[in-house]
Amino acid sequence: MLLGAWALDHPRILQSADGVKITLDKIDAHALSDPEAMRADLSERLGVDVMSYQITALDYINDMARIWVANA
């Protein structure tokens, strides 16, 4: 059992995804409505391959979006 737990926890066998919370100071309505465009925009801004993202808050008054991004 310990050998199995060690093998699954080893970084070469099962890699975990890192995530980061970001705040965008400009909301692009076109990117928000198109998930692929948003993923490409986030990848370009962050310089990493974005696996997924989740918009956690939108503030249209201050034109801000809070997003959690998972990268490879």
Side-chain angles (χ1 to χ4, degrees):
M1 185 173 197
L2 288 175
L3 182 60
W6 175 83
L8 286 176
D9 194 39
H10 196 276
R12 288 188 181 174
I13 301 206
L14 185 62
Q15 295 181 353
S16 64
D18 291 334
V20 66
K21 293 179 184 178
I22 63 170
T23 301
L24 299 178
D25 60 353
K26 181 177 180 285
I27 298 174
D28 184 3
H30 175 70
L32 288 177
S33 65
D34 183 3
E36 289 304 316
M38 185 67 161
R39 188 182 330 272
D41 183 47
L42 290 170
S43 292
E44 182 179 326
R45 286 180 189 230
L46 299 174
V48 296
D49 184 28
V50 173
M51 291 176 26
S52 65
Y53 68 92
Q54 180 178 9
I55 300 170
T56 58
L58 287 174
D59 183 352
Y60 286 106
I61 294 172
N62 295 318
D63 201 26
M64 289 182 8
R66 289 192 180 93
I67 302 172
W68 182 84
V69 178
N71 61 322

